[in-house]
Amino acid sequence: MSERSETVTRRRPVIKKEENGGGSSKSDDPELAEKESDSEDADSKETRLTLMEEVLLLGLKDKEGYTSFWNDCISSGLRGCILIELALRGKIELEKAGMRRRGLTSRKVLIKNDTPCGDVLLDEALKHIKDTEPPETVQSWIEYLSGETWNPLKLSYQLKNVRERLAKNLVEKGVLTTEKQNFLLFDMTTHPLVDNTTKTRLVKKLQEAVLSKWVNDPHRMDKRMLSIIFMAHSSDVLENAFAPLNDDDYELAMKRVRELMELDLDVESAKPNVNETMWAVISAFVK
């Protein structure tokens, strides 16, 4: 069993040409706006995945259908993705910084729009945030949703079986399938990849974001792509997207990821037209 558990499957994606694999953030610049429009048109023809589903897909072994047994980062990372997904959908926001410009990690999460998202995990988290008084910080919500809290009154906020529920979502979207595998002492439900195109497209977009479409400015990057890079790194699955690269491209990609990780997040979050909650979640993981 240990030999099988330690097996790492690395598959070189079959790269197909697309009109636009990346995407830029909203901008008054006509060129950037046109690129974003093209990206949205392309995305409308693709299988739409949430941030959580994309990070899980990067972590799943294609043939085996499960994440590495040694990865203890992905659980909290997926909870962070849930908060960012709610923020990008305009459901939650941070309280105002105030005159003293309080840091990201000390500001509380507020409800901006409590209309259900239509996604069970997102709606469950949204309801917890809505029902909690007084409001809590992003760091607290990551701990509550992960079940990693010493407060017994908050244990009911834990989102359970998140990986399995996300995998089932991906099965419903035709990306994964469901199988039973025997591991000597127990049977385990696994979810092998069946739609290689969707994962290949995701891997290609990540590679392009830090290579051919690198803009050296996080505010000119698509917020969703920027979030995937940060959260995939925090979940210890980002290297899976870069493994197929040649040595030079791999080193360049990782160098640019390190540059992102070394940003002053309080400074970045204070710039115009940003999503402060997104930066607050990222700040909770990049310490």
Side-chain angles (χ1 to χ4, degrees):
M1 182 174 71
S2 61
E3 180 179 352
R4 182 168 187 174
S5 302
E6 295 172 5
T7 301
V8 178
T9 303
R10 298 188 186 278
R11 299 179 62 185
R12 182 178 297 275
V14 179
I15 304 299
K16 297 182 180 180
K17 291 185 178 180
E18 296 179 0
E19 290 182 7
N20 191 340
S24 304
S25 57
K26 298 279 185 188
S27 171
D28 295 331
D29 186 323
E31 183 179 351
L32 291 178
E34 182 178 353
K35 287 181 180 179
E36 180 163 350
S37 177
D38 290 344
S39 176
E40 290 174 352
D41 289 343
D43 286 344
S44 67
K45 302 172 186 177
E46 301 171 3
T47 302
R48 289 292 184 94
L49 304 182
T50 62
L51 283 175
M52 308 87 74
E53 291 165 353
E54 288 175 319
V55 169
L56 179 65
L57 189 57
L58 288 171
L60 284 173
K61 301 178 181 183
D62 294 354
K63 291 182 179 179
E64 292 88 341
Y66 52 82
T67 57
S68 170
F69 294 144
W70 315 116
N71 187 340
D72 57 358
C73 303
I74 195 169
S75 179
S76 60
L78 291 174
R79 272 68 174 187
C81 288
I82 289 173
L83 294 175
I84 293 180
E85 186 74 43
L86 287 172
L88 294 180
R89 295 188 184 203
K91 301 298 182 182
I92 59 175
E93 62 183 353
L94 289 187
E95 64 180 346
K96 302 301 181 185
M99 295 295 292
R100 296 178 61 187
R101 293 299 302 176
R102 284 176 298 160
L104 289 170
T105 55
S106 62
R107 293 161 63 187
K108 306 299 177 64
V109 178
L110 306 177
I111 291 291
K112 185 176 181 181
N113 180 346
D114 63 1
T115 305
C117 304
D119 179 284
V120 177
L121 281 171
L122 292 176
D123 290 340
E124 191 175 335
L126 186 64
K127 184 177 186 303
H128 288 323
I129 296 171
K130 178 184 176 182
D131 293 345
T132 300
E133 286 292 343
E136 299 279 3
T137 63
V138 160
Q139 181 63 55
S140 294
W141 276 116
I142 293 170
E143 293 171 359
Y144 296 161
L145 298 178
S146 302
E148 298 174 356
T149 174
W150 292 102
N151 187 341
L153 300 178
K154 304 296 185 181
L155 289 176
S156 61
Y157 290 169
Q158 180 183 5
L159 299 180
K160 298 180 179 179
N161 304 317
V162 168
R163 269 180 270 192
E164 180 63 22
R165 291 160 75 180
L166 290 173
K168 288 181 178 178
N169 288 349
L170 290 168
V171 170
E172 291 177 2
K173 293 179 180 181
V175 180
L176 305 177
T177 188
T178 301
E179 294 181 357
K180 288 280 188 182
Q181 290 196 31
N182 181 271
F183 286 83
L184 298 180
L185 299 178
F186 61 94
D187 291 332
M188 185 173 80
T189 301
T190 61
H191 300 283
L193 184 70
V194 291
D195 178 10
N196 191 55
T197 302
T198 296
K199 186 165 185 177
T200 297
R201 186 182 294 120
L202 172 61
V203 168
K204 181 187 177 185
K205 284 184 177 182
L206 277 165
Q207 292 173 352
E208 289 181 336
V210 293
L211 292 173
S212 63
K213 296 185 178 180
W214 175 248
V215 291
N216 200 29
D217 179 359
H219 299 282
R220 295 183 62 212
M221 295 178 69
D222 174 66
K223 290 183 177 68
R224 184 168 291 271
M225 177 53 61
L226 186 65
S227 299
I228 295 171
I229 293 173
F230 273 106
M231 297 313 299
H233 181 272
S234 299
S235 302
D236 199 20
V237 300
L238 184 59
E239 284 197 38
N240 295 348
F242 298 156
L245 296 170
N246 63 51
D247 290 347
D248 289 343
D249 283 346
Y250 177 86
E251 290 301 324
L252 180 57
M254 293 307 296
K255 174 178 177 292
R256 287 170 172 171
V257 169
R258 286 192 295 272
E259 290 174 8
L260 291 174
M261 299 300 150
E262 292 168 1
L263 290 171
D264 185 327
L265 302 183
D266 280 306
V267 170
E268 299 302 327
S269 67
K271 294 181 179 179
N273 303 317
V274 300
N275 188 305
E276 290 182 309
T277 313
M278 177 195 80
W279 284 109
V281 175
I282 292 171
S283 179
F285 286 92
V286 181
K287 298 175 182 178

